[in-house]
Every structure is written in C-alpha cells, then in structure tokens.
PDB file of all heavy atoms in Angstrom:
ATOM      1  N   LEU W   1       0.830  -1.220   0.000  1.00 62.00           N
ATOM      2  CA  LEU W   1       0.000   0.000   0.000  1.00 62.00           C
ATOM      3  C   LEU W   1       0.856   1.259   0.000  1.00 62.00           C
ATOM      4  O   LEU W   1       0.560   2.229  -0.704  1.00 62.00           O
ATOM      5  CB  LEU W   1      -0.936  -0.017   1.216  1.00 62.00           C
ATOM      6  CG  LEU W   1      -2.019  -1.099   1.210  1.00 62.00           C
ATOM      7  CD1 LEU W   1      -2.797  -1.080   2.524  1.00 62.00           C
ATOM      8  CD2 LEU W   1      -2.972  -0.903   0.030  1.00 62.00           C
ATOM      9  N   MET W   2       1.908   1.227   0.801  1.00 59.00           N
ATOM     10  CA  MET W   2       2.806   2.396   0.848  1.00 59.00           C
ATOM     11  C   MET W   2       3.447   2.639  -0.509  1.00 59.00           C
ATOM     12  O   MET W   2       3.526   3.779  -0.993  1.00 59.00           O
ATOM     13  CB  MET W   2       3.905   2.179   1.895  1.00 59.00           C
ATOM     14  CG  MET W   2       3.448   2.341   3.325  1.00 59.00           C
ATOM     15  SD  MET W   2       4.792   1.953   4.461  1.00 59.00           S
ATOM     16  CE  MET W   2       6.045   3.065   3.907  1.00 59.00           C
ATOM     17  N   TYR W   3       3.903   1.594  -1.135  1.00 57.00           N
ATOM     18  CA  TYR W   3       4.597   1.740  -2.413  1.00 57.00           C
ATOM     19  C   TYR W   3       3.629   2.215  -3.500  1.00 57.00           C
ATOM     20  O   TYR W   3       3.984   3.037  -4.346  1.00 57.00           O
ATOM     21  CB  TYR W   3       5.218   0.395  -2.814  1.00 57.00           C
ATOM     22  CG  TYR W   3       6.093   0.495  -4.037  1.00 57.00           C
ATOM     23  CD1 TYR W   3       7.411   0.971  -3.942  1.00 57.00           C
ATOM     24  CD2 TYR W   3       5.606   0.148  -5.289  1.00 57.00           C
ATOM     25  CE1 TYR W   3       8.216   1.070  -5.063  1.00 57.00           C
ATOM     26  CE2 TYR W   3       6.400   0.255  -6.424  1.00 57.00           C
ATOM     27  CZ  TYR W   3       7.703   0.717  -6.300  1.00 57.00           C
ATOM     28  OH  TYR W   3       8.493   0.818  -7.418  1.00 57.00           O
ATOM     29  N   THR W   4       2.371   1.696  -3.454  1.00 59.00           N
ATOM     30  CA  THR W   4       1.410   2.014  -4.513  1.00 59.00           C
ATOM     31  C   THR W   4       0.871   3.431  -4.386  1.00 59.00           C
ATOM     32  O   THR W   4       0.802   4.170  -5.371  1.00 59.00           O
ATOM     33  CB  THR W   4       0.241   1.013  -4.480  1.00 59.00           C
ATOM     34  OG1 THR W   4       0.773  -0.311  -4.620  1.00 59.00           O
ATOM     35  CG2 THR W   4      -0.739   1.289  -5.610  1.00 59.00           C
ATOM     36  N   PHE W   5       0.461   3.816  -3.171  1.00 66.00           N
ATOM     37  CA  PHE W   5      -0.270   5.081  -3.021  1.00 66.00           C
ATOM     38  C   PHE W   5       0.575   6.249  -2.509  1.00 66.00           C
ATOM     39  O   PHE W   5       0.178   7.394  -2.628  1.00 66.00           O
ATOM     40  CB  PHE W   5      -1.466   4.866  -2.066  1.00 66.00           C
ATOM     41  CG  PHE W   5      -2.473   3.902  -2.604  1.00 66.00           C
ATOM     42  CD1 PHE W   5      -2.543   2.608  -2.102  1.00 66.00           C
ATOM     43  CD2 PHE W   5      -3.333   4.269  -3.622  1.00 66.00           C
ATOM     44  CE1 PHE W   5      -3.473   1.706  -2.599  1.00 66.00           C
ATOM     45  CE2 PHE W   5      -4.270   3.373  -4.114  1.00 66.00           C
ATOM     46  CZ  PHE W   5      -4.336   2.084  -3.610  1.00 66.00           C
ATOM     47  N   LYS W   6       1.704   5.950  -1.930  1.00 61.00           N
ATOM     48  CA  LYS W   6       2.516   7.027  -1.347  1.00 61.00           C
ATOM     49  C   LYS W   6       3.852   7.189  -2.077  1.00 61.00           C
ATOM     50  O   LYS W   6       4.175   8.275  -2.574  1.00 61.00           O
ATOM     51  CB  LYS W   6       2.750   6.731   0.146  1.00 61.00           C
ATOM     52  CG  LYS W   6       3.720   7.695   0.828  1.00 61.00           C
ATOM     53  CD  LYS W   6       3.163   9.102   0.919  1.00 61.00           C
ATOM     54  CE  LYS W   6       4.154  10.010   1.660  1.00 61.00           C
ATOM     55  NZ  LYS W   6       3.695  11.422   1.644  1.00 61.00           N
ATOM     56  N   ILE W   7       4.623   6.129  -2.120  1.00 60.00           N
ATOM     57  CA  ILE W   7       5.999   6.235  -2.598  1.00 60.00           C
ATOM     58  C   ILE W   7       6.057   6.442  -4.110  1.00 60.00           C
ATOM     59  O   ILE W   7       6.763   7.326  -4.606  1.00 60.00           O
ATOM     60  CB  ILE W   7       6.804   4.993  -2.191  1.00 60.00           C
ATOM     61  CG1 ILE W   7       6.768   4.832  -0.663  1.00 60.00           C
ATOM     62  CG2 ILE W   7       8.238   5.105  -2.691  1.00 60.00           C
ATOM     63  CD1 ILE W   7       7.269   6.039   0.085  1.00 60.00           C
ATOM     64  N   THR W   8       5.313   5.617  -4.875  1.00 61.00           N
ATOM     65  CA  THR W   8       5.400   5.705  -6.334  1.00 61.00           C
ATOM     66  C   THR W   8       5.028   7.089  -6.867  1.00 61.00           C
ATOM     67  O   THR W   8       5.775   7.668  -7.663  1.00 61.00           O
ATOM     68  CB  THR W   8       4.523   4.624  -6.989  1.00 61.00           C
ATOM     69  OG1 THR W   8       4.972   3.332  -6.554  1.00 61.00           O
ATOM     70  CG2 THR W   8       4.604   4.709  -8.510  1.00 61.00           C
ATOM     71  N   PRO W   9       3.867   7.683  -6.459  1.00 69.00           N
ATOM     72  CA  PRO W   9       3.552   9.036  -6.958  1.00 69.00           C
ATOM     73  C   PRO W   9       4.592  10.079  -6.548  1.00 69.00           C
ATOM     74  O   PRO W   9       4.947  10.955  -7.341  1.00 69.00           O
ATOM     75  CB  PRO W   9       2.188   9.331  -6.314  1.00 69.00           C
ATOM     76  CG  PRO W   9       1.610   8.000  -5.992  1.00 69.00           C
ATOM     77  CD  PRO W   9       2.779   7.142  -5.636  1.00 69.00           C
ATOM     78  N   GLU W  10       5.060   9.941  -5.291  1.00 65.00           N
ATOM     79  CA  GLU W  10       6.037  10.923  -4.821  1.00 65.00           C
ATOM     80  C   GLU W  10       7.355  10.817  -5.591  1.00 65.00           C
ATOM     81  O   GLU W  10       7.936  11.825  -6.002  1.00 65.00           O
ATOM     82  CB  GLU W  10       6.283  10.730  -3.322  1.00 65.00           C
ATOM     83  CG  GLU W  10       7.211  11.778  -2.727  1.00 65.00           C
ATOM     84  CD  GLU W  10       7.355  11.619  -1.225  1.00 65.00           C
ATOM     85  OE1 GLU W  10       6.475  10.995  -0.593  1.00 65.00           O
ATOM     86  OE2 GLU W  10       8.360  12.128  -0.697  1.00 65.00           O
ATOM     87  N   TRP W  11       7.815   9.599  -5.820  1.00 60.00           N
ATOM     88  CA  TRP W  11       9.071   9.427  -6.549  1.00 60.00           C
ATOM     89  C   TRP W  11       8.929   9.834  -8.011  1.00 60.00           C
ATOM     90  O   TRP W  11       9.843  10.398  -8.595  1.00 60.00           O
ATOM     91  CB  TRP W  11       9.528   7.971  -6.453  1.00 60.00           C
ATOM     92  CG  TRP W  11      10.134   7.666  -5.114  1.00 60.00           C
ATOM     93  CD1 TRP W  11      10.254   8.496  -4.060  1.00 60.00           C
ATOM     94  CD2 TRP W  11      10.695   6.404  -4.712  1.00 60.00           C
ATOM     95  NE1 TRP W  11      10.844   7.863  -2.996  1.00 60.00           N
ATOM     96  CE2 TRP W  11      11.145   6.556  -3.375  1.00 60.00           C
ATOM     97  CE3 TRP W  11      10.857   5.172  -5.325  1.00 60.00           C
ATOM     98  CZ2 TRP W  11      11.740   5.538  -2.659  1.00 60.00           C
ATOM     99  CZ3 TRP W  11      11.456   4.148  -4.620  1.00 60.00           C
ATOM    100  CH2 TRP W  11      11.891   4.336  -3.300  1.00 60.00           C
ATOM    101  N   ASN W  12       7.751   9.538  -8.601  1.00 65.00           N
ATOM    102  CA  ASN W  12       7.528   9.986  -9.977  1.00 65.00           C
ATOM    103  C   ASN W  12       7.600  11.510 -10.084  1.00 65.00           C
ATOM    104  O   ASN W  12       8.167  12.058 -11.038  1.00 65.00           O
ATOM    105  CB  ASN W  12       6.168   9.489 -10.480  1.00 65.00           C
ATOM    106  CG  ASN W  12       6.174   7.987 -10.761  1.00 65.00           C
ATOM    107  OD1 ASN W  12       7.238   7.397 -10.982  1.00 65.00           O
ATOM    108  ND2 ASN W  12       5.002   7.377 -10.745  1.00 65.00           N
ATOM    109  N   HIS W  13       7.004  12.154  -9.067  1.00 69.00           N
ATOM    110  CA  HIS W  13       7.051  13.624  -9.050  1.00 69.00           C
ATOM    111  C   HIS W  13       8.493  14.118  -8.899  1.00 69.00           C
ATOM    112  O   HIS W  13       8.924  15.054  -9.598  1.00 69.00           O
ATOM    113  CB  HIS W  13       6.180  14.137  -7.898  1.00 69.00           C
ATOM    114  CG  HIS W  13       6.242  15.630  -7.729  1.00 69.00           C
ATOM    115  ND1 HIS W  13       5.648  16.505  -8.621  1.00 69.00           N
ATOM    116  CD2 HIS W  13       6.851  16.398  -6.777  1.00 69.00           C
ATOM    117  CE1 HIS W  13       5.875  17.747  -8.228  1.00 69.00           C
ATOM    118  NE2 HIS W  13       6.588  17.704  -7.105  1.00 69.00           N
ATOM    119  N   ILE W  14       9.242  13.461  -8.002  1.00 66.00           N
ATOM    120  CA  ILE W  14      10.645  13.859  -7.782  1.00 66.00           C
ATOM    121  C   ILE W  14      11.469  13.650  -9.051  1.00 66.00           C
ATOM    122  O   ILE W  14      12.251  14.508  -9.457  1.00 66.00           O
ATOM    123  CB  ILE W  14      11.246  13.063  -6.612  1.00 66.00           C
ATOM    124  CG1 ILE W  14      10.600  13.511  -5.289  1.00 66.00           C
ATOM    125  CG2 ILE W  14      12.756  13.258  -6.543  1.00 66.00           C
ATOM    126  CD1 ILE W  14      10.995  12.673  -4.100  1.00 66.00           C
ATOM    127  N   PHE W  15      11.249  12.497  -9.707  1.00 67.00           N
ATOM    128  CA  PHE W  15      12.017  12.218 -10.919  1.00 67.00           C
ATOM    129  C   PHE W  15      11.690  13.218 -12.031  1.00 67.00           C
ATOM    130  O   PHE W  15      12.576  13.662 -12.772  1.00 67.00           O
ATOM    131  CB  PHE W  15      11.756  10.795 -11.398  1.00 67.00           C
ATOM    132  CG  PHE W  15      12.292   9.733 -10.477  1.00 67.00           C
ATOM    133  CD1 PHE W  15      11.656   8.515 -10.337  1.00 67.00           C
ATOM    134  CD2 PHE W  15      13.446   9.978  -9.735  1.00 67.00           C
ATOM    135  CE1 PHE W  15      12.156   7.548  -9.477  1.00 67.00           C
ATOM    136  CE2 PHE W  15      13.956   9.009  -8.876  1.00 67.00           C
ATOM    137  CZ  PHE W  15      13.313   7.789  -8.746  1.00 67.00           C
ATOM    138  N   LYS W  16      10.407  13.586 -12.139  1.00 70.00           N
ATOM    139  CA  LYS W  16      10.020  14.576 -13.151  1.00 70.00           C
ATOM    140  C   LYS W  16      10.653  15.928 -12.869  1.00 70.00           C
ATOM    141  O   LYS W  16      11.138  16.605 -13.776  1.00 70.00           O
ATOM    142  CB  LYS W  16       8.495  14.700 -13.191  1.00 70.00           C
ATOM    143  CG  LYS W  16       7.800  13.512 -13.833  1.00 70.00           C
ATOM    144  CD  LYS W  16       6.295  13.702 -13.828  1.00 70.00           C
ATOM    145  CE  LYS W  16       5.581  12.497 -14.440  1.00 70.00           C
ATOM    146  NZ  LYS W  16       4.109  12.645 -14.413  1.00 70.00           N
ATOM    147  N   GLU W  17      10.613  16.322 -11.581  1.00 71.00           N
ATOM    148  CA  GLU W  17      11.223  17.597 -11.207  1.00 71.00           C
ATOM    149  C   GLU W  17      12.725  17.585 -11.465  1.00 71.00           C
ATOM    150  O   GLU W  17      13.303  18.558 -11.941  1.00 71.00           O
ATOM    151  CB  GLU W  17      10.947  17.901  -9.729  1.00 71.00           C
ATOM    152  CG  GLU W  17       9.505  18.255  -9.418  1.00 71.00           C
ATOM    153  CD  GLU W  17       9.088  19.534 -10.119  1.00 71.00           C
ATOM    154  OE1 GLU W  17       9.882  20.498 -10.145  1.00 71.00           O
ATOM    155  OE2 GLU W  17       7.965  19.563 -10.660  1.00 71.00           O
ATOM    156  N   ASN W  18      13.353  16.456 -11.122  1.00 68.00           N
ATOM    157  CA  ASN W  18      14.795  16.325 -11.383  1.00 68.00           C
ATOM    158  C   ASN W  18      15.100  16.439 -12.876  1.00 68.00           C
ATOM    159  O   ASN W  18      16.065  17.096 -13.275  1.00 68.00           O
ATOM    160  CB  ASN W  18      15.311  14.981 -10.871  1.00 68.00           C
ATOM    161  CG  ASN W  18      15.572  15.016  -9.374  1.00 68.00           C
ATOM    162  OD1 ASN W  18      15.746  16.083  -8.811  1.00 68.00           O
ATOM    163  ND2 ASN W  18      15.566  13.864  -8.746  1.00 68.00           N
ATOM    164  N   LYS W  19      14.249  15.799 -13.695  1.00 69.00           N
ATOM    165  CA  LYS W  19      14.472  15.847 -15.136  1.00 69.00           C
ATOM    166  C   LYS W  19      14.311  17.263 -15.663  1.00 69.00           C
ATOM    167  O   LYS W  19      15.103  17.736 -16.488  1.00 69.00           O
ATOM    168  CB  LYS W  19      13.487  14.903 -15.829  1.00 69.00           C
ATOM    169  CG  LYS W  19      13.783  14.716 -17.305  1.00 69.00           C
ATOM    170  CD  LYS W  19      12.882  13.650 -17.905  1.00 69.00           C
ATOM    171  CE  LYS W  19      13.226  13.452 -19.379  1.00 69.00           C
ATOM    172  NZ  LYS W  19      12.377  12.410 -19.999  1.00 69.00           N
ATOM    173  N   LYS W  20      13.266  17.959 -15.162  1.00 69.00           N
ATOM    174  CA  LYS W  20      13.063  19.347 -15.581  1.00 69.00           C
ATOM    175  C   LYS W  20      14.250  20.216 -15.192  1.00 69.00           C
ATOM    176  O   LYS W  20      14.724  21.041 -15.978  1.00 69.00           O
ATOM    177  CB  LYS W  20      11.786  19.905 -14.940  1.00 69.00           C
ATOM    178  CG  LYS W  20      10.507  19.354 -15.534  1.00 69.00           C
ATOM    179  CD  LYS W  20       9.296  19.974 -14.845  1.00 69.00           C
ATOM    180  CE  LYS W  20       7.992  19.422 -15.393  1.00 69.00           C
ATOM    181  NZ  LYS W  20       6.816  19.990 -14.680  1.00 69.00           N
ATOM    182  N   MET W  21      14.701  20.041 -13.948  1.00 68.00           N
ATOM    183  CA  MET W  21      15.832  20.845 -13.470  1.00 68.00           C
ATOM    184  C   MET W  21      17.098  20.541 -14.258  1.00 68.00           C
ATOM    185  O   MET W  21      17.867  21.443 -14.591  1.00 68.00           O
ATOM    186  CB  MET W  21      16.064  20.582 -11.984  1.00 68.00           C
ATOM    187  CG  MET W  21      14.967  21.139 -11.076  1.00 68.00           C
ATOM    188  SD  MET W  21      14.834  22.931 -11.172  1.00 68.00           S
ATOM    189  CE  MET W  21      16.381  23.430 -10.453  1.00 68.00           C
ATOM    190  N   ASP W  22      17.317  19.249 -14.565  1.00 66.00           N
ATOM    191  CA  ASP W  22      18.504  18.886 -15.352  1.00 66.00           C
ATOM    192  C   ASP W  22      18.472  19.535 -16.725  1.00 66.00           C
ATOM    193  O   ASP W  22      19.473  20.077 -17.204  1.00 66.00           O
ATOM    194  CB  ASP W  22      18.601  17.367 -15.488  1.00 66.00           C
ATOM    195  CG  ASP W  22      18.997  16.692 -14.184  1.00 66.00           C
ATOM    196  OD1 ASP W  22      19.533  17.402 -13.313  1.00 66.00           O
ATOM    197  OD2 ASP W  22      18.762  15.477 -14.040  1.00 66.00           O
ATOM    198  N   VAL W  23      17.274  19.468 -17.367  1.00 63.00           N
ATOM    199  CA  VAL W  23      17.140  20.079 -18.699  1.00 63.00           C
ATOM    200  C   VAL W  23      17.351  21.579 -18.619  1.00 63.00           C
ATOM    201  O   VAL W  23      18.041  22.183 -19.443  1.00 63.00           O
ATOM    202  CB  VAL W  23      15.754  19.748 -19.300  1.00 63.00           C
ATOM    203  CG1 VAL W  23      15.518  20.559 -20.573  1.00 63.00           C
ATOM    204  CG2 VAL W  23      15.639  18.262 -19.576  1.00 63.00           C
ATOM    205  N   LEU W  24      16.745  22.200 -17.569  1.00 60.00           N
ATOM    206  CA  LEU W  24      16.860  23.645 -17.413  1.00 60.00           C
ATOM    207  C   LEU W  24      18.304  24.056 -17.158  1.00 60.00           C
ATOM    208  O   LEU W  24      18.817  24.996 -17.779  1.00 60.00           O
ATOM    209  CB  LEU W  24      15.960  24.110 -16.259  1.00 60.00           C
ATOM    210  CG  LEU W  24      15.871  25.628 -16.031  1.00 60.00           C
ATOM    211  CD1 LEU W  24      15.302  26.315 -17.260  1.00 60.00           C
ATOM    212  CD2 LEU W  24      15.006  25.926 -14.810  1.00 60.00           C
ATOM    213  N   LEU W  25      18.959  23.330 -16.246  1.00 60.00           N
ATOM    214  CA  LEU W  25      20.355  23.670 -15.941  1.00 60.00           C
ATOM    215  C   LEU W  25      21.255  23.438 -17.147  1.00 60.00           C
ATOM    216  O   LEU W  25      22.154  24.230 -17.431  1.00 60.00           O
ATOM    217  CB  LEU W  25      20.838  22.831 -14.750  1.00 60.00           C
ATOM    218  CG  LEU W  25      20.268  23.219 -13.375  1.00 60.00           C
ATOM    219  CD1 LEU W  25      20.699  22.201 -12.327  1.00 60.00           C
ATOM    220  CD2 LEU W  25      20.724  24.606 -12.971  1.00 60.00           C
ATOM    221  N   THR W  26      20.987  22.332 -17.854  1.00 58.00           N
ATOM    222  CA  THR W  26      21.798  22.049 -19.033  1.00 58.00           C
ATOM    223  C   THR W  26      21.627  23.130 -20.085  1.00 58.00           C
ATOM    224  O   THR W  26      22.599  23.596 -20.686  1.00 58.00           O
ATOM    225  CB  THR W  26      21.414  20.680 -19.618  1.00 58.00           C
ATOM    226  OG1 THR W  26      21.588  19.685 -18.614  1.00 58.00           O
ATOM    227  CG2 THR W  26      22.274  20.342 -20.826  1.00 58.00           C
ATOM    228  N   SER W  27      20.360  23.547 -20.311  1.00 57.00           N
ATOM    229  CA  SER W  27      20.118  24.579 -21.319  1.00 57.00           C
ATOM    230  C   SER W  27      20.718  25.905 -20.885  1.00 57.00           C
ATOM    231  O   SER W  27      21.300  26.628 -21.697  1.00 57.00           O
ATOM    232  CB  SER W  27      18.616  24.737 -21.567  1.00 57.00           C
ATOM    233  OG  SER W  27      17.950  25.156 -20.375  1.00 57.00           O
ATOM    234  N   LYS W  28      20.609  26.244 -19.591  1.00 57.00           N
ATOM    235  CA  LYS W  28      21.195  27.494 -19.106  1.00 57.00           C
ATOM    236  C   LYS W  28      22.709  27.480 -19.263  1.00 57.00           C
ATOM    237  O   LYS W  28      23.308  28.453 -19.720  1.00 57.00           O
ATOM    238  CB  LYS W  28      20.821  27.703 -17.628  1.00 57.00           C
ATOM    239  CG  LYS W  28      19.417  28.221 -17.410  1.00 57.00           C
ATOM    240  CD  LYS W  28      19.159  28.487 -15.936  1.00 57.00           C
ATOM    241  CE  LYS W  28      17.777  29.077 -15.704  1.00 57.00           C
ATOM    242  NZ  LYS W  28      17.511  29.328 -14.276  1.00 57.00           N
ATOM    243  N   GLU W  29      23.321  26.365 -18.868  1.00 62.00           N
ATOM    244  CA  GLU W  29      24.774  26.265 -18.995  1.00 62.00           C
ATOM    245  C   GLU W  29      25.196  26.316 -20.459  1.00 62.00           C
ATOM    246  O   GLU W  29      26.197  26.948 -20.809  1.00 62.00           O
ATOM    247  CB  GLU W  29      25.261  24.964 -18.346  1.00 62.00           C
ATOM    248  CG  GLU W  29      25.147  24.974 -16.825  1.00 62.00           C
ATOM    249  CD  GLU W  29      25.519  23.632 -16.224  1.00 62.00           C
ATOM    250  OE1 GLU W  29      25.813  22.710 -17.009  1.00 62.00           O
ATOM    251  OE2 GLU W  29      25.501  23.506 -14.990  1.00 62.00           O
ATOM    252  N   SER W  30      24.394  25.679 -21.328  1.00 65.00           N
ATOM    253  CA  SER W  30      24.729  25.695 -22.750  1.00 65.00           C
ATOM    254  C   SER W  30      24.631  27.099 -23.312  1.00 65.00           C
ATOM    255  O   SER W  30      25.510  27.556 -24.049  1.00 65.00           O
ATOM    256  CB  SER W  30      23.795  24.761 -23.517  1.00 65.00           C
ATOM    257  OG  SER W  30      23.933  23.432 -23.059  1.00 65.00           O
ATOM    258  N   TYR W  31      23.529  27.801 -22.954  1.00 70.00           N
ATOM    259  CA  TYR W  31      23.366  29.168 -23.436  1.00 70.00           C
ATOM    260  C   TYR W  31      24.458  30.075 -22.893  1.00 70.00           C
ATOM    261  O   TYR W  31      24.971  30.945 -23.608  1.00 70.00           O
ATOM    262  CB  TYR W  31      21.993  29.710 -23.033  1.00 70.00           C
ATOM    263  CG  TYR W  31      20.846  29.109 -23.810  1.00 70.00           C
ATOM    264  CD1 TYR W  31      19.660  28.751 -23.182  1.00 70.00           C
ATOM    265  CD2 TYR W  31      20.956  28.898 -25.189  1.00 70.00           C
ATOM    266  CE1 TYR W  31      18.611  28.193 -23.894  1.00 70.00           C
ATOM    267  CE2 TYR W  31      19.911  28.332 -25.903  1.00 70.00           C
ATOM    268  CZ  TYR W  31      18.736  27.990 -25.254  1.00 70.00           C
ATOM    269  OH  TYR W  31      17.712  27.440 -25.955  1.00 70.00           O
ATOM    270  N   LEU W  32      24.818  29.862 -21.615  1.00 73.00           N
ATOM    271  CA  LEU W  32      25.869  30.686 -21.015  1.00 73.00           C
ATOM    272  C   LEU W  32      27.210  30.423 -21.690  1.00 73.00           C
ATOM    273  O   LEU W  32      27.956  31.359 -21.998  1.00 73.00           O
ATOM    274  CB  LEU W  32      25.966  30.393 -19.513  1.00 73.00           C
ATOM    275  CG  LEU W  32      26.949  31.260 -18.711  1.00 73.00           C
ATOM    276  CD1 LEU W  32      26.575  32.726 -18.823  1.00 73.00           C
ATOM    277  CD2 LEU W  32      26.968  30.830 -17.247  1.00 73.00           C
ATOM    278  N   ASP W  33      27.500  29.151 -21.962  1.00 77.00           N
ATOM    279  CA  ASP W  33      28.743  28.814 -22.664  1.00 77.00           C
ATOM    280  C   ASP W  33      28.767  29.418 -24.057  1.00 77.00           C
ATOM    281  O   ASP W  33      29.788  29.949 -24.507  1.00 77.00           O
ATOM    282  CB  ASP W  33      28.910  27.295 -22.751  1.00 77.00           C
ATOM    283  CG  ASP W  33      29.223  26.671 -21.400  1.00 77.00           C
ATOM    284  OD1 ASP W  33      29.661  27.422 -20.508  1.00 77.00           O
ATOM    285  OD2 ASP W  33      29.014  25.462 -21.232  1.00 77.00           O
ATOM    286  N   LEU W  34      27.622  29.334 -24.764  1.00 73.00           N
ATOM    287  CA  LEU W  34      27.542  29.913 -26.100  1.00 73.00           C
ATOM    288  C   LEU W  34      27.725  31.427 -26.067  1.00 73.00           C
ATOM    289  O   LEU W  34      28.392  32.008 -26.932  1.00 73.00           O
ATOM    290  CB  LEU W  34      26.191  29.567 -26.749  1.00 73.00           C
ATOM    291  CG  LEU W  34      26.011  28.110 -27.192  1.00 73.00           C
ATOM    292  CD1 LEU W  34      24.581  27.866 -27.642  1.00 73.00           C
ATOM    293  CD2 LEU W  34      26.976  27.770 -28.316  1.00 73.00           C
ATOM    294  N   PHE W  35      27.120  32.057 -25.045  1.00 81.00           N
ATOM    295  CA  PHE W  35      27.258  33.514 -24.903  1.00 81.00           C
ATOM    296  C   PHE W  35      28.720  33.903 -24.707  1.00 81.00           C
ATOM    297  O   PHE W  35      29.223  34.834 -25.346  1.00 81.00           O
ATOM    298  CB  PHE W  35      26.408  33.992 -23.721  1.00 81.00           C
ATOM    299  CG  PHE W  35      26.711  35.401 -23.289  1.00 81.00           C
ATOM    300  CD1 PHE W  35      26.286  36.482 -24.035  1.00 81.00           C
ATOM    301  CD2 PHE W  35      27.464  35.636 -22.147  1.00 81.00           C
ATOM    302  CE1 PHE W  35      26.588  37.775 -23.655  1.00 81.00           C
ATOM    303  CE2 PHE W  35      27.767  36.929 -21.746  1.00 81.00           C
ATOM    304  CZ  PHE W  35      27.318  38.000 -22.507  1.00 81.00           C
ATOM    305  N   ILE W  36      29.410  33.179 -23.829  1.00 82.00           N
ATOM    306  CA  ILE W  36      30.818  33.500 -23.550  1.00 82.00           C
ATOM    307  C   ILE W  36      31.675  33.229 -24.784  1.00 82.00           C
ATOM    308  O   ILE W  36      32.542  34.033 -25.143  1.00 82.00           O
ATOM    309  CB  ILE W  36      31.314  32.681 -22.344  1.00 82.00           C
ATOM    310  CG1 ILE W  36      30.596  33.141 -21.065  1.00 82.00           C
ATOM    311  CG2 ILE W  36      32.823  32.811 -22.175  1.00 82.00           C
ATOM    312  CD1 ILE W  36      30.892  32.306 -19.841  1.00 82.00           C
TER     313      ILE W  36
END
C-alpha cells in the first residue's frame, strides 16, 4: 500500500522535477557557454 499510493507518486514527481531541473540547468549552462 505504501509503495502504490505514497511512494510511487512521490518518486515519480521527484524524478520529473529532477528531469526538468537537469534540462533547465543544461540549457542554461549551454546558453551561457555559447554567450561567452
């Protein structure tokens, strides 16, 4: 029950946020490198 209703949704949310942040940081670093 914990894994189905609590852990899985929370981890999915964390993984999505991590992916968004990675993409955002990567794009920012890429743009900053290109600017320099």
Side-chain angles (χ1 to χ4, degrees):
L1 293 175
M2 284 176 56
Y3 187 80
T4 303
F5 296 104
K6 173 67 178 174
I7 302 304
T8 301
E10 184 176 339
W11 283 2
N12 287 338
H13 176 72
I14 291 173
F15 292 148
K16 287 180 181 179
E17 289 297 318
N18 279 339
K19 189 173 182 179
K20 287 181 181 178
M21 290 298 293
D22 288 341
V23 171
L24 185 61
L25 288 173
T26 302
S27 62
K28 281 184 177 179
E29 290 175 358
S30 299
Y31 287 138
L32 185 59
D33 289 341
L34 288 173
F35 167 75
I36 293 174

